[in-house]
Amino acid sequence: MASNKPRVLSGIQPTSGSFHLGNYLGAVRQWVALQESHDAFYMVVDLHAITVPQDPAELKANTRFAAAQLLAAGVDPERCTLFVQSHVPEHAQLGWIMNCLTGFGEASRMTQFKDKAAKQGAERATVGLFTYPILQVADILLYQADQVPVGEDQRQHIELTRDLAERFNGRFGQTFTLPAPYILKETAKIYDLQDPAIKMSKSASTPKGLINLLDEPKTTAKKVKSAVTDTDTVIRYDAEKKPGVSNLLTIYATLTGAGIPELEQKYEGKGYGALKTDLAEVMVEFVTPFRERTQQYMDDPETLDSLLAKGAEKARAVAAETLAQAYEKVGLLPAKH
Ligand code: ATP
Ligand code: LTN
């Protein structure tokens, strides 16, 4: 049945065995909230994951791990459509159309591409990595999404999506909805615990600043306790002057629902040690059941796979309709049935 709720769509890559805290606070948490008020489509973007070299067995395992973690975080297949990108071939198909609409210079300006290509060395970066954002455009437009819940690092890709949707609509007639980014200011960018000037990322130079949700809770507690702060002692939110402490306050506030002013008051006159000890405990309380739930889904891959198959079927019904419209508009001759 068609829903009259606004639609959201987002994706996460199965490029690691565990989500990190930045993924959760920046994106997945919003996915869970939005499935209540929106017609939500969430996917594990395995086609995006192969834009960098992958181990086949690991990719397969990580795809299930990603789905299991989404379920453990509260993504509910009864209230949204959860699927794996490669199960819906329309993504690659619309991706091609979008490739043919994107300027070479335009794609060259994507900062994530530039960063990732620089990391690998220009010779080793693939054309797939170059067109990564364009596949993301297809992901979003196929579902006529109104909003896309992501972290700050994805803003430019959503802008590209709007540009290409407008271009297509202008050239071929109204076809695609222009999506808006859904980026919560407070958690748009979670920082590395060892270097609060850079975003928390799975490709961090040292694992000490990266909180993986599936790490041993003891490891997590240790990482929180050794987070870099500053030489001052006052616990106050000031993203510019006190980025380390501010990051810890953001994490604390988001996980507990406490306000930042409330936390500042609670820790008035107390040292960083007290804040870190308490936050370590909050983290452990969060990750312990999360790991258990993820493991339960992993222990039953058949159920997991059939749940993903159902999701793909639901997704495909929507995607196929949009793709047929796009093919028709572009002038591709329909195959005779
Ligand atoms: P990484 O930098 O770890 O490689 P990514 O952006 O390539 O992350 P994805 O798994 O594709 O990894 O990201 C999933 C979601 O998590 C995206 O919406 C992204 O914006 C968000 N995200 C990633 N890191 C952070 C962060 N440090 N703070 C807030 N959101 C983040
Ligand atoms: N590039 C995104 C993952 C992604 C995505 C999407 C996000 C692929 N397709 C569609 C939102 C909508 C990232 O998080 N690195």
Side-chain angles (χ1 to χ4, degrees):
M1 204 178 70
S3 152
N4 49 17
K5 291 178 185 168
R7 186 167 284 169
V8 289
L9 172 131
S10 198
I12 189 157
Q13 299 193 78
T15 36
S16 155
S18 172
F19 292 169
H20 61 69
L21 192 59
N23 297 144
Y24 177 70
L25 296 181
V28 175
R29 206 168 167 273
Q30 280 64 262
W31 298 14
V32 176
L34 287 166
Q35 55 185 356
E36 307 302 330
S37 49
H38 288 67
D39 182 19
F41 287 77
Y42 300 131
M43 62 183 162
V44 180
V45 291
D46 53 351
L47 296 174
H48 278 103
I50 63 169
T51 57
V52 292
Q54 87 284 7
D55 174 86
E58 254 175 43
L59 175 63
K60 208 177 275 181
N62 288 346
T63 301
R64 285 204 182 103
F65 260 117
Q69 288 176 91
L70 289 173
L71 295 165
V75 167
D76 177 357
E78 297 289 322
R79 286 182 288 169
C80 72
T81 303
L82 173 65
F83 64 103
V84 173
Q85 184 187 33
S86 67
H87 294 176
V88 180
E90 285 79 2
H91 290 255
Q93 292 174 289
L94 186 64
W96 179 253
I97 306 268
M98 292 298 150
N99 273 324
C100 298
L101 223 65
T102 310
F104 199 85
E106 192 175 31
S108 307
R109 284 192 291 275
M110 294 295 117
T111 58
Q112 271 214 332
F113 166 71
K114 289 194 273 187
D115 292 349
K116 288 189 186 175
K119 258 185 207 157
Q120 291 183 55
E123 276 307 306
R124 290 173 73 188
T126 64
V127 175
L129 186 67
F130 185 62
T131 62
Y132 173 120
I134 306 166
L135 179 59
Q136 183 169 352
V137 167
D139 293 343
I140 298 168
L141 297 184
L142 268 181
Y143 298 89
Q144 309 284 13
D146 299 293
Q147 285 175 310
V148 185
V150 283
E152 183 61 40
D153 59 352
Q154 296 301 309
R155 191 182 289 280
Q156 195 186 31
H157 293 167
I158 317 297
E159 274 163 20
L160 177 69
T161 310
R162 292 176 66 90
D163 289 347
L164 290 179
E166 264 189 314
R167 190 170 307 157
F168 189 104
N169 290 347
R171 208 170 284 178
F172 303 112
Q174 179 58 40
T175 309
F176 294 117
T177 303
L178 263 54
Y182 182 91
I183 301 174
L184 291 189
K185 201 164 84 240
E186 302 76 30
T187 51
K189 195 167 175 187
I190 300 298
Y191 296 89
D192 187 285
L193 296 192
Q194 285 300 313
D195 181 358
I198 59 170
K199 74 160 195 167
M200 185 177 286
S201 162
K202 61 183 159 276
S203 49
S205 57
T206 140
K208 282 177 68 188
L210 170 68
I211 302 279
N212 278 317
L213 301 186
L214 297 180
D215 275 353
E216 279 284 341
K218 265 192 289 184
T219 311
T220 299
K222 219 194 249 167
K223 287 181 184 177
V224 172
K225 285 182 188 161
S226 57
V228 165
T229 45
D230 52 49
T231 52
D232 185 23
T233 53
V234 186
I235 295 173
R236 177 170 54 84
Y237 187 92
D238 182 338
E240 300 232 318
K241 296 201 186 92
K242 300 169 74 68
V245 175
S246 302
N247 191 40
L248 295 181
L249 285 171
T250 297
I251 296 169
Y252 198 148
T254 317
L255 287 178
T256 59
I260 299 232
E262 193 185 320
L263 292 175
E264 286 172 336
Q265 210 171 20
K266 179 172 173 186
Y267 290 99
E268 207 182 317
K270 295 187 185 159
Y272 292 156
L275 173 72
K276 289 184 193 173
T277 304
D278 290 354
L279 178 57
E281 204 170 298
V282 166
M283 284 292 318
V284 167
E285 269 169 37
F286 173 72
V287 296
T288 304
F290 177 83
R291 289 175 94 220
E292 282 165 15
R293 285 196 297 270
T294 302
Q295 196 51 52
Q296 281 165 12
Y297 289 111
M298 290 305 285
D299 287 343
D300 186 0
E302 266 179 41
T303 304
L304 189 62
D305 290 359
S306 67
L307 191 148
L308 291 172
K310 274 194 205 128
E313 203 181 311
K314 271 165 72 189
R316 217 174 161 186
V318 177
E321 197 184 312
T322 311
L323 183 75
Q325 284 171 22
Y327 269 28
E328 163 70 26
K329 291 272 174 70
V330 167
L332 299 174
L333 179 69
K336 204 161 187 281
H337 292 295

